[in-house]
Amino acid sequence: MDTLTQEKLEEKFQAKIDADIKIEPNDWMPDTYRKTLIRQISQHAHSEIVGMLPEGNWITRAPSLRRKAVLLAKVQDEAGHGLYLYSATETLGVSREDTIDDLHSGKVKYSSIFNYPTLTWADIGAIGWLVDGAAIMNQVALCRTSYGPYARAMVKICKEESFHQRQGYEIMTTLMNGTEAQREMAQDAMNRFWWPALMMFGPSDGESKHTEQSMRWRIKRHTNDELRQSFVDASVPQAELIGLKIPDPNLKWNEARGHYDFGAIDWEEFWQVVGGNGPCNKERIDARVKAKEEGEWVREAAMAYAKKHKS
Ligand code: 3HC
């Protein structure tokens, strides 16, 4: 293709983005836009599926039938979110098989937060409230992302995330209204999940290698730091309402900014976990590889049935 056509096409593409016209699978798009979407949406899908593991760990140990039913529903929702997002990835011309193999080989990432262990029942409350709360902050913005299938997947996912966040906050509220031991358990979960939840939004804007271009392409509608700040501003009053302490001595309301100031994030820890050295990285990938191997017969049976009954 001669450079003039390429330039013209890129100009027309950017004009559509700037006019907030959704880009659809069959539309022309720069290879770099397609690659960024494949990277982000597939990693988002991996995060949903790997995210089922820490919570799934407590389904058999939920303290009541109601808590078990709610947790089961949430974990099933996450599987659905993963399938939605793998389907959105496939619209960009990559196979689900290859996408999942990239996760298992360690070639691609999933959200760092899921490499932390769930040690007590209160962790399930902290994950629902903080992790899904952070995910909502990020995903509400993604409802306006420039790629059509991704934006549309987000609408359904966000509806379910609010239920996830609500049930997590209810668990934390119940514990904080409980015995001294239950309050301590909830505060311990808060102490272990607060900072990793802030890390979910990615490196600070100055360190983020994709944010500038992703904002230009309106894949991102807010920067990592903007979303992180909104999450802190929303979460502090919720914590205070039920008596939970935020584990950050530098947290302070800044009237002039109209936001909470908060302490420095341990980016060394973040990159260690992203780099595969978190507490549960190996366990998570081993579990996913095992699930794929043990599920081989199901896929074979489904393919054989589909072949036999092809209309
Ligand atoms: N965990 C792991 N890797 C992370 C990360 C995190 N929390 N934050 C950033 N990174 C990686 C990026 O993937 C990128 O690496 P790559 O080039 O190999 O992909 C690198 O760090 C630089 O970060 P950038 O900020 O430049 O990258 P992005 O522009 O992609 O921003 C993001 C990162 C904000 C996570 C963005 O990708 C995004 O918004 N993704 C969609 C939302 C998502 O994936 N959320 C994950 C949680 S899903 C969830 O919680 C499910 C809920 O139901 C529980």
Side-chain angles (χ1 to χ4, degrees):
M1 178 178 298
D2 68 56
T3 47
L4 186 68
T5 335
Q6 176 73 17
E7 251 164 53
K8 265 265 148 288
L9 281 167
E10 283 185 2
E11 245 171 61
K12 267 175 72 181
F13 171 79
Q14 192 60 48
K16 278 174 81 173
I17 296 277
D18 296 344
D20 264 339
I21 295 169
K22 288 284 179 256
I23 304 299
E24 297 299 336
N26 294 330
D27 292 346
W28 185 88
M29 61 183 86
D31 282 349
T32 42
Y33 177 81
R34 183 188 301 277
K35 279 204 191 87
T36 289
L37 285 172
I38 291 169
R39 176 188 64 80
Q40 176 164 332
I41 304 173
S42 62
Q43 292 184 156
H44 195 163
H46 296 328
S47 303
E48 300 280 1
I49 298 298
V50 173
M52 293 165 72
L53 296 168
E55 292 179 307
N57 178 25
W58 278 88
I59 289 174
T60 55
R61 296 182 283 171
S64 70
L65 181 59
R66 174 173 174 266
R67 292 289 185 207
K68 185 198 284 277
V70 169
L71 183 55
L72 258 177
K74 176 184 190 308
V75 173
Q76 279 170 337
D77 282 351
E78 310 297 8
H81 298 174
L83 292 181
Y84 252 59
L85 291 164
Y86 283 131
S87 303
T89 310
E90 285 171 311
T91 66
L92 291 154
V94 288
S95 84
R96 184 161 317 176
E97 201 68 20
D98 294 347
T99 306
I100 291 174
D101 286 349
D102 286 350
L103 170 69
H104 294 171
S105 65
K107 197 170 139 208
V108 296
K109 298 180 171 70
Y110 56 92
S111 192
S112 48
I113 187 76
F114 298 121
N115 289 310
Y116 291 84
T118 43
L119 305 175
T120 71
W121 172 254
D123 291 9
I124 301 305
I127 287 178
W129 171 44
L130 294 173
V131 175
D132 287 70
I136 291 175
M137 214 46 99
N138 170 291
Q139 291 169 166
V140 164
L142 285 170
C143 290
R144 293 187 300 118
T145 192
S146 55
Y147 186 56
Y150 197 19
R152 291 188 289 272
M154 281 301 116
V155 175
K156 167 182 158 68
I157 288 177
C158 284
K159 288 198 177 95
E160 292 172 345
E161 294 293 12
S162 351
F163 143 65
H164 299 172
Q165 195 259 5
R166 201 82 32 82
Q167 63 85 39
Y169 190 60
E170 194 216 6
I171 291 174
M172 297 301 263
T173 306
T174 307
L175 292 171
M176 290 305 285
N177 291 329
T179 63
E180 183 53 31
Q182 286 172 321
R183 284 195 293 276
E184 276 166 21
M185 184 166 63
Q187 186 60 57
D188 166 58
M190 175 83 190
N191 296 344
R192 284 183 287 108
F193 277 91
W194 174 254
W195 290 103
L198 296 195
M199 294 175 194
M200 282 176 70
F201 293 95
S204 51
D205 293 349
E207 301 301 314
S208 159
K209 64 180 171 189
H210 299 298
T211 290
E212 202 184 324
Q213 182 59 63
S214 290
M215 290 290 284
R216 233 192 327 275
W217 279 332
R218 295 193 185 182
I219 294 172
K220 281 187 172 179
R221 303 308 299 253
H222 296 285
T223 70
N224 297 358
D225 286 335
E226 285 167 355
L227 290 175
R228 193 177 357 254
Q229 182 67 67
S230 309
F231 173 70
V232 171
D233 292 348
S235 305
V236 172
Q238 291 169 354
E240 287 173 350
L241 187 67
I242 58 176
L244 277 168
K245 286 191 188 40
I246 304 273
D248 175 1
N250 298 309
L251 184 86
K252 195 163 63 32
W253 178 253
N254 181 324
E255 196 52 42
R257 282 197 329 122
H259 295 292
Y260 282 95
D261 292 337
F262 53 91
I265 290 174
D266 181 348
W267 293 114
E268 170 59 25
E269 176 184 332
F270 171 74
W271 288 115
Q272 278 299 322
V273 175
V274 170
N277 307 312
C280 302
N281 295 56
K282 185 171 175 337
E283 181 188 330
R284 300 288 185 242
I285 295 299
D286 288 353
R288 290 310 313 150
V289 172
K290 185 163 174 276
K292 181 179 178 194
E293 285 161 359
E294 291 177 351
E296 198 61 38
W297 69 272
V298 177
R299 284 189 293 280
E300 279 165 12
M303 298 300 272
Y305 182 85
K307 206 158 155 221
K308 184 157 176 265
H309 295 272
K310 204 152 75 178
S311 41

